[in-house]
């Protein structure tokens, strides 16, 4: 389940974002969270697994017809294509009228998700 970021979740969000290479420094993590908060077109979601634990984070930038997945990170115990697919399915459900795209860091995960969705519909 996706939960929209709020300041109560700052420590959790920082911990999950720290799994992304280049986002280890506390100042960098805080700047990243601020970047999402500074513009209504950017949204940071925390992802709860089946047990209700926060296990992932996804940052999106939304325009009229496109949702760009800027970042996605899962805790080490959750890192599988199945879990990534669950997160992306939920993002797609949040923005049903938008095409989903990804940053260079996320493009391969989205390509695998799209391929799986195409095979479901064949």
């Amino acid at each position: 389940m996706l939960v929209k970021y709020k300041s109560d979740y700052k420590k959790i969000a920082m911990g999950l974002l720290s799994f992304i290479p280049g986002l280890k420094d506390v100042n960098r993590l805080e700047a990243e969270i601020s970047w999402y908060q500074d513009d209504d077109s950017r949204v940071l979601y925390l992802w709860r697994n089946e047990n209700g634990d926060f296990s992932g984070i996804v940052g999106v930038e939304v325009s009229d017809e496109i949702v760009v997945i800027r970042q996605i990170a899962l805790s080490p115990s959750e890192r599988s294509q199945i879990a990534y697919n669950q997160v992306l399915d939920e993002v797609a459900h949040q923005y049903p009228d938008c095409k989903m795209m990804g940053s260079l860091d996320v493009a391969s995960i989205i390509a695998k998700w799209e391929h799986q969705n195409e095979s479901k519909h064949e």
Side-chain angles (χ1 to χ4, degrees):
M1 174 175 79
L2 291 179
V3 177
K4 199 171 191 177
Y5 172 81
K6 58 184 180 180
S7 57
D8 293 352
Y9 301 141
K10 185 173 184 178
K11 286 185 180 185
I12 296 167
M14 288 175 66
L16 292 167
L17 283 171
S18 73
F19 291 126
I20 297 171
L23 289 180
K24 305 293 183 212
D25 178 65
V26 172
N27 293 331
R28 179 72 178 102
L29 290 166
E30 288 179 342
E32 196 68 22
I33 289 172
S34 293
W35 186 80
Y36 282 99
Q37 292 179 308
D38 290 345
D39 189 325
D40 290 341
S41 69
R42 298 186 291 245
V43 185
L44 201 55
Y45 290 102
L46 282 76
W47 178 70
R48 288 185 192 262
N49 65 13
E50 305 81 38
N51 300 327
D53 300 324
F54 285 119
S55 302
I57 194 162
V58 59
V60 302
E61 192 166 359
V62 184
S63 66
D64 292 336
E65 298 173 7
I66 298 171
V67 173
V68 178
I69 308 294
R70 293 279 176 205
Q71 297 159 316
I72 187 169
L74 299 178
S75 62
S77 62
E78 294 287 343
R79 287 185 196 146
S80 69
Q81 190 61 44
I82 292 168
Y84 283 117
N85 289 350
Q86 289 173 342
V87 174
L88 294 173
D89 285 345
E90 291 182 30
V91 171
H93 184 73
Q94 288 279 86
Y95 303 98
D97 298 329
C98 293
K99 163 111 174 95
M100 196 175 328
M101 299 175 71
S103 65
L104 290 175
D105 296 333
V106 182
S108 65
I109 295 169
I110 291 177
K112 290 175 187 173
W113 172 78
E114 286 177 334
H115 179 72
Q116 183 167 345
N117 283 343
E118 287 170 5
S119 24
K120 281 183 192 174
H121 297 99
E122 289 179 356

